[in-house]
Amino acid sequence: MAISDEQLAQAKNIRVEQVQLLRRSRGATNETLQGLPDTAIRRALRRLNYPDLPNARRLFRLEQERSDDGTVPAHAQGTARDRMRTLLTAREAPPQHTAGVPTGLTAEGIAGRPTPTAGMQLARWEWLGPGNIGGRTRGIVIDPQDARKIWAASSGGGVWHSKDGGGAWTPVDDFLGNLACSCLALDPSDPTTLYAGTGEGFSNADALRGNGVFRTTDGVTWEQLTATQTDDFRAVTRIAVSSTGEVVLAATASGLFRCSDAERKTWTQVLDVPIGTVLFDPTDGSRAVAGALEAGEAFVSADGGRTWKATTHGPWSGRVELAYAARNPDVVYASVQMTSGRIYRSTDGGATYQPRKTLDSSGHVADYLGDQGWYGNSVWAGDPTDENLVVLGGVDLWRSTDGGDHISEISTWWDARSVHADHHAIVSHPSYDGTGNRTVFFGNDGGVFKADDLARTGTEHEPPFVNGWTELDNNYGVTQFYSGAGNLHSGKIVGGAQDNGTICFDPVRGTEGWQQIFGGDGGWCAADPADPDVFYGEYVFLNIHRNTDGGTSDDTGGDRYISGQFWNGDLREWDWKPPPFRISDAMTNKALFIAPFTMDPNNSDRLLAGGLSLWRTNNAKETNTPTSGPSWQSVKPSAGANISALAVALGNSDLIWVGHVNGMLFRTANGTAATPTWSTVGASGPSPLRPRRYLTCITIDPVDPDTVYVAFGGFEPDNLWVTHNGGAQWSQLAETLPDVPIRAVAIHPRRTELLYCGTEVGLFASEDGGANWSATNEGPTNCSVDQLFWMDETLVSATHGRGMFRIDLSAV
């Protein structure tokens, strides 16, 4: 029975206009929202408070990559990798370990060939997971001769391979030249040849910069196609290979490129419109279709992709995804972004398109893409017996049996037994025949999932739709962390993850037992060293929350916020407490998308949080109610730019350092005072701190507080600096580090001359205070290390694409 907006509003104690906004933004029906727990309803409404969230997310990561002039160099990661190779080649016998960290990678290994000790095979590095959370997966291919062999492309963790149908996964090469893999394509004429495109072009939160196209001819060893190491291939959204294997088409954020030589040395641009998808007709290599990334256009080719014509259709806008119908390739479906998703169909091979009704089970036009068709948008018509069977992916999955006139939900994003939200890839089992085999695989923000029988999956009479779904995230470790923190006594670790919230690792549960303790995007974290039950995390823009049950239960709907936000039941909306019980910069979004906060290492009741101003609470564990809670005061006025890094000296709570996105650095020696006195650091003097770009990290020596390390973003050669006299003089330490953003610096707690540096391309180590660095890293991976933290003398690495690792350095 259909549920009206008024009925749903009354049942959930929200307003009618909120019901309508939720339905459109989440790509759902009222029936699905009816089953949504009240806490999840509030969480979804919270998301509506950030209408410009996609752009804010994109700018956050981009800002960390900019140089002083505000630009990001073309082929920046490739250039840095070339420099690493040169440095390594110059050393005849690189050491096997540096500061206790394995660094014995050979020049051949860094060139892209696998090494026997890479990544998870290293005995010294222990991968912690998550093995059950997954991460953004934009590509899946399956060996047509052996369906147990599956490859998946993760947006930050590289290409992964399963030999048992998804029962277990391993990375194909943790030192691939770029782990920001956005798509995969298999050569139909030779299934041992695969192509991987890198870089994301979908304008999402943390879209990662790519480095062209990679190819393997044996499924193991990957080579970089040199001709694609240009700015035109910084974001490869889709790759298509003709049925003969002769022609390869690469859709990119710069346009569409074609290559027909066997060595893939010559690429010709055939469309100058940013393209999100390209497909060859599976039965005729001369025919192909392409969909625009943003322009609301589709194109068709009749000569193998040499020339293209714009198609005829209605008034379209936004991203266009396409699919050939397996039963009849003259039928092509288009999932068009529009406002919240509309279906069109062509019956002449993609030359002209007509609208379908796109109605949900209640007879209303279905907003199946929600408000993010630019991000999650996929369409499948792979049934060889039925050209009218269509599956659509947006926030959830929808199925149509009449060619898109009527569609029904078959997954429910808010139920853990169903499929994760935000869908990017839909792939048939090689033996899918529509009768005996109806298995389909799905790639989304939660990893890889499977419907064993598509016809019977999600067929319940009402939501949640959970029957028939199988999660295949069996140690598929591609979670993208921003931060992490751990409690030494319990061994538990929490981390803030992109789109997977704040999640907790319990050593008792292992890599497959990570548990979400707060939803949405996760950010910075802190762990109370004296109380294993207390952890802190944040939602976007410095909205700090607190967990007091040892990381065992999920968000309760908002009463965990200690930054001042709360659910006002009387007003039926999110509200803010009056001062001093709020962080005003969090209320007004005057903070970074992922804003820094830290716990005073000398006083676990004190938190410092960086927005436009610096905020402090001395009673972080105060009882939290809608009218009271921790008290916050601004203890550093705005300097005109957001705070990006914080540090408090071990043993001296008065000594605090603060960095900003424009490179400004401040220091106080009376940080616990009601009104601390701040002074600028490094702006002048005989040896000033020169960078004027995003300041990513401040690390104070635990023994000598006058020794401070400061790191910066940007693909620049001077991203790490040190002072040994409290900031009076500075020297730079990055001469032998790659020219990439440096995001984290850790000092060995016992031997302070041992340094560890987390960069955009992995971790590096020094045994002499940063004067010299390992020529390359051999662990944990070649992706961004966003934070490093200690649990006694065990170093934990939170990576943006490969989960978390740790290494015991107590015997160094």
mmCIF file of all heavy atoms in Angstrom, residues 251 274-278 289-293 297-299 319-322:
data_model
loop_
_atom_site.group_PDB
_atom_site.id
_atom_site.type_symbol
_atom_site.label_atom_id
_atom_site.label_comp_id
_atom_site.label_asym_id
_atom_site.label_seq_id
_atom_site.Cartn_x
_atom_site.Cartn_y
_atom_site.Cartn_z
ATOM 1 N N ALA A 251 37.839 6.858 -22.386
ATOM 2 C CA ALA A 251 37.036 8.025 -22.028
ATOM 3 C C ALA A 251 37.732 8.738 -20.876
ATOM 4 O O ALA A 251 38.087 8.117 -19.872
ATOM 5 C CB ALA A 251 35.634 7.599 -21.614
ATOM 6 N N PRO A 274 34.316 16.132 -22.313
ATOM 7 C CA PRO A 274 34.572 15.169 -21.242
ATOM 8 C C PRO A 274 33.587 13.999 -21.296
ATOM 9 O O PRO A 274 32.368 14.198 -21.346
ATOM 10 C CB PRO A 274 34.379 16.002 -19.963
ATOM 11 C CG PRO A 274 34.714 17.398 -20.383
ATOM 12 C CD PRO A 274 34.201 17.523 -21.785
ATOM 13 N N ILE A 275 34.116 12.779 -21.309
ATOM 14 C CA ILE A 275 33.312 11.577 -21.514
ATOM 15 C C ILE A 275 33.354 10.708 -20.255
ATOM 16 O O ILE A 275 34.411 10.469 -19.688
ATOM 17 C CB ILE A 275 33.827 10.774 -22.725
ATOM 18 C CG1 ILE A 275 33.740 11.617 -23.999
ATOM 19 C CG2 ILE A 275 33.039 9.483 -22.890
ATOM 20 C CD1 ILE A 275 32.332 12.005 -24.400
ATOM 21 N N GLY A 276 32.181 10.226 -19.838
ATOM 22 C CA GLY A 276 32.095 9.375 -18.655
ATOM 23 C C GLY A 276 32.035 7.898 -18.966
ATOM 24 O O GLY A 276 32.443 7.078 -18.150
ATOM 25 N N THR A 277 31.527 7.536 -20.160
ATOM 26 C CA THR A 277 31.433 6.125 -20.513
ATOM 27 C C THR A 277 31.588 5.951 -22.005
ATOM 28 O O THR A 277 31.209 6.832 -22.798
ATOM 29 C CB THR A 277 30.088 5.533 -20.050
ATOM 30 O OG1 THR A 277 30.107 4.114 -20.241
ATOM 31 C CG2 THR A 277 28.916 6.115 -20.824
ATOM 32 N N VAL A 278 32.138 4.800 -22.413
ATOM 33 C CA VAL A 278 32.246 4.438 -23.820
ATOM 34 C C VAL A 278 32.130 2.922 -23.918
ATOM 35 O O VAL A 278 32.638 2.189 -23.071
ATOM 36 C CB VAL A 278 33.570 4.943 -24.433
ATOM 37 C CG1 VAL A 278 34.782 4.301 -23.753
ATOM 38 C CG2 VAL A 278 33.598 4.715 -25.939
ATOM 39 N N VAL A 289 29.178 3.528 -28.706
ATOM 40 C CA VAL A 289 28.438 4.659 -28.139
ATOM 41 C C VAL A 289 29.258 5.258 -27.004
ATOM 42 O O VAL A 289 30.086 4.574 -26.388
ATOM 43 C CB VAL A 289 27.045 4.247 -27.620
ATOM 44 C CG1 VAL A 289 26.128 3.854 -28.768
ATOM 45 C CG2 VAL A 289 27.164 3.127 -26.594
ATOM 46 N N ALA A 290 29.012 6.534 -26.725
ATOM 47 C CA ALA A 290 29.706 7.225 -25.643
ATOM 48 C C ALA A 290 28.749 8.200 -24.975
ATOM 49 O O ALA A 290 27.873 8.778 -25.630
ATOM 50 C CB ALA A 290 30.939 7.972 -26.173
ATOM 51 N N GLY A 291 28.916 8.373 -23.661
ATOM 52 C CA GLY A 291 28.078 9.294 -22.896
ATOM 53 C C GLY A 291 28.914 10.371 -22.243
ATOM 54 O O GLY A 291 30.003 10.105 -21.726
ATOM 55 N N ALA A 292 28.402 11.584 -22.267
ATOM 56 C CA ALA A 292 29.137 12.712 -21.709
ATOM 57 C C ALA A 292 29.192 12.636 -20.189
ATOM 58 O O ALA A 292 28.290 12.116 -19.533
ATOM 59 C CB ALA A 292 28.507 14.026 -22.141
ATOM 60 N N LEU A 293 30.261 13.208 -19.659
ATOM 61 C CA LEU A 293 30.465 13.227 -18.224
ATOM 62 C C LEU A 293 29.599 14.273 -17.533
ATOM 63 O O LEU A 293 29.112 14.059 -16.416
ATOM 64 C CB LEU A 293 31.943 13.492 -17.927
ATOM 65 C CG LEU A 293 32.433 13.347 -16.502
ATOM 66 C CD1 LEU A 293 32.187 11.947 -15.965
ATOM 67 C CD2 LEU A 293 33.920 13.682 -16.425
ATOM 68 N N GLU A 297 24.971 14.776 -23.032
ATOM 69 C CA GLU A 297 25.028 14.386 -24.440
ATOM 70 C C GLU A 297 25.413 12.915 -24.568
ATOM 71 O O GLU A 297 25.998 12.326 -23.659
ATOM 72 C CB GLU A 297 26.067 15.223 -25.205
ATOM 73 C CG GLU A 297 25.536 16.416 -25.942
ATOM 74 C CD GLU A 297 24.421 16.106 -26.952
ATOM 75 O OE1 GLU A 297 24.238 14.919 -27.322
ATOM 76 O OE2 GLU A 297 23.728 17.032 -27.339
ATOM 77 N N ALA A 298 25.063 12.340 -25.725
ATOM 78 C CA ALA A 298 25.505 11.005 -26.091
ATOM 79 C C ALA A 298 25.974 11.055 -27.530
ATOM 80 O O ALA A 298 25.530 11.901 -28.323
ATOM 81 C CB ALA A 298 24.386 9.982 -25.917
ATOM 82 N N PHE A 299 26.874 10.121 -27.872
ATOM 83 C CA PHE A 299 27.472 10.107 -29.193
ATOM 84 C C PHE A 299 27.472 8.676 -29.724
ATOM 85 O O PHE A 299 27.448 7.712 -28.954
ATOM 86 C CB PHE A 299 28.905 10.644 -29.145
ATOM 87 C CG PHE A 299 29.022 12.017 -28.542
ATOM 88 C CD1 PHE A 299 29.191 12.175 -27.176
ATOM 89 C CD2 PHE A 299 28.936 13.150 -29.341
ATOM 90 C CE1 PHE A 299 29.274 13.433 -26.604
ATOM 91 C CE2 PHE A 299 29.024 14.415 -28.783
ATOM 92 C CZ PHE A 299 29.193 14.560 -27.417
ATOM 93 N N ARG A 319 25.417 13.932 -16.336
ATOM 94 C CA ARG A 319 26.124 12.717 -16.760
ATOM 95 C C ARG A 319 25.174 11.751 -17.455
ATOM 96 O O ARG A 319 24.013 11.610 -17.062
ATOM 97 C CB ARG A 319 26.737 12.057 -15.528
ATOM 98 C CG ARG A 319 27.485 10.770 -15.797
ATOM 99 C CD ARG A 319 28.090 10.242 -14.506
ATOM 100 N NE ARG A 319 28.517 8.857 -14.624
ATOM 101 C CZ ARG A 319 28.912 8.101 -13.610
ATOM 102 N NH1 ARG A 319 28.915 8.613 -12.388
ATOM 103 N NH2 ARG A 319 29.281 6.845 -13.806
ATOM 104 N N VAL A 320 25.687 11.055 -18.473
ATOM 105 C CA VAL A 320 24.899 10.086 -19.239
ATOM 106 C C VAL A 320 25.625 8.743 -19.217
ATOM 107 O O VAL A 320 26.761 8.624 -19.690
ATOM 108 C CB VAL A 320 24.701 10.544 -20.694
ATOM 109 C CG1 VAL A 320 23.939 9.480 -21.479
ATOM 110 C CG2 VAL A 320 23.987 11.885 -20.743
ATOM 111 N N GLU A 321 24.977 7.723 -18.654
ATOM 112 C CA GLU A 321 25.504 6.361 -18.679
ATOM 113 C C GLU A 321 24.708 5.537 -19.683
ATOM 114 O O GLU A 321 23.493 5.729 -19.831
ATOM 115 C CB GLU A 321 25.414 5.725 -17.287
ATOM 116 C CG GLU A 321 26.535 6.134 -16.365
ATOM 117 C CD GLU A 321 27.886 5.631 -16.834
ATOM 118 O OE1 GLU A 321 28.023 4.417 -17.114
ATOM 119 O OE2 GLU A 321 28.821 6.454 -16.915
ATOM 120 N N LEU A 322 25.395 4.600 -20.355
ATOM 121 C CA LEU A 322 24.779 3.846 -21.449
ATOM 122 C C LEU A 322 24.997 2.348 -21.278
ATOM 123 O O LEU A 322 25.951 1.916 -20.632
ATOM 124 C CB LEU A 322 25.372 4.287 -22.790
ATOM 125 C CG LEU A 322 25.250 5.775 -23.140
ATOM 126 C CD1 LEU A 322 26.116 6.114 -24.354
ATOM 127 C CD2 LEU A 322 23.798 6.152 -23.392
#
